[in-house]
Amino acid sequence: MYDPTVARLTYRALLGRRRALILGALPLLLIVIAAAVRALAGADDQTAVNVLGGFALATMVPIIGVIAGTGAIGPEIDDGSVVYLLSKPLKRSTIIFTKLIVAIAVTMVFSAVPTLVAGLILNGNGQRIAVAYTVAALVASIAYAALFLLLGTVSRHAVVFGLVYALVWEALFGSLVPGARTLSIQQWALAVAHKVAGGDMVTSDVGLPTATVLLVVVTVLATWYAGQKLRSLTLAGEE
């Protein structure tokens, strides 16, 4: 299910100089904001929740997920180089699964690690807020990577659609329309964070059992359907 050669090529594509700079910009900004807030306002639990929830989990994690998930396969489909990969004796499910693992790893590194660092800067992990949001970032990374990898497989405008989901659906509608929060990866991740932190500092509009089921379902279905679309793309090329 995992091919090292496909993984190496995908890592190389995702961590090229230009894309690596884009991936590193938001984490660096988060840490700078955390340091500035700590210097100006001191250690405060609510401030830590506001920064980690409002910027790290709501903005940084999904955008990095868009870059990593769509970038894992979208450019290869756009420029036609995917034909070289598909010509190899590899199962399409292996290609998709390998690219998903790479996208998840990249998303986790560029989102969860800076979230933990920022949380420690903001309040030294008081009330386990830093760890809670780090776990939320890890969990969200899996679902975002799978969803955006699927978008990269089915659409040439995957980045646009991904940003619309991340910035419009989750950030805008998710904050204004209560029903939309149920269909938000961010809220599902917050349910896990709430369990880790305990207390009332970290909250979610979705219960943990529901959030867990939805995270698993979205990840599995998105991965499966991406494999199906890649298989149909191969058949179309052979015809």
Side-chain angles (χ1 to χ4, degrees):
M1 291 297 293
Y2 181 86
D3 185 84
T5 301
V6 174
R8 184 173 62 254
L9 293 173
T10 306
Y11 275 119
R12 186 179 300 172
L14 285 179
L15 300 178
R17 181 177 300 177
R18 181 179 301 176
R19 188 169 278 114
L21 289 174
I22 297 174
L23 284 169
L26 284 175
L28 180 60
L29 179 60
L30 172 63
I31 293 174
V32 169
I33 290 173
V37 169
R38 176 62 184 267
L40 294 173
D44 181 76
D45 294 340
Q46 187 58 54
T47 300
V49 168
N50 293 340
V51 174
L52 296 180
F55 182 76
L57 192 61
T59 302
M60 183 187 72
V61 180
I63 290 179
I64 290 176
V66 169
I67 297 171
T70 60
I73 195 169
E76 292 176 308
I77 294 178
D78 291 342
D79 63 18
S81 61
V82 71
V83 174
Y84 170 78
L85 187 61
L86 297 178
S87 67
K88 301 301 179 181
L90 292 171
K91 292 182 179 179
R92 305 306 172 242
S93 58
T94 298
I95 295 173
I96 288 296
F97 184 76
T98 301
K99 288 182 173 293
L100 174 63
I101 294 300
V102 173
I104 289 173
V106 170
T107 307
M108 285 182 171
V109 169
F110 283 92
S111 61
V113 174
T115 297
L116 177 61
V117 172
L120 293 175
I121 292 173
L122 285 165
N123 76 332
N125 196 36
Q127 299 196 54
R128 292 182 291 182
I129 291 173
V131 171
Y133 276 100
T134 300
V135 172
L138 290 171
V139 170
S141 295
I142 299 173
Y144 281 132
L147 178 62
F148 297 136
L149 178 67
L150 171 61
L151 285 178
T153 306
V154 302
S155 174
R156 291 181 178 272
H157 307 289
V159 174
V160 175
F161 291 135
L163 290 175
V164 168
Y165 173 82
L167 300 180
V168 177
W169 178 263
E170 293 214 334
L172 182 59
F173 284 97
S175 62
L176 298 177
V177 183
R181 298 170 189 166
T182 305
L183 300 177
S184 167
I185 293 174
Q186 177 189 342
Q187 290 296 324
W188 305 341
L190 281 173
V192 179
H194 173 71
K195 178 65 175 180
V196 174
D200 298 322
M201 292 300 299
V202 182
T203 60
S204 173
D205 292 325
V206 182
L208 181 60
T210 301
T212 302
V213 170
L214 290 173
L215 283 166
V216 172
V217 168
V218 166
T219 301
V220 172
L221 286 182
T223 304
W224 172 80
Y225 192 60
Q228 294 299 111
K229 293 300 293 183
L230 192 63
R231 185 174 292 110
S232 67
L233 176 66
T234 305
L235 293 175
E238 292 172 351
E239 291 173 356

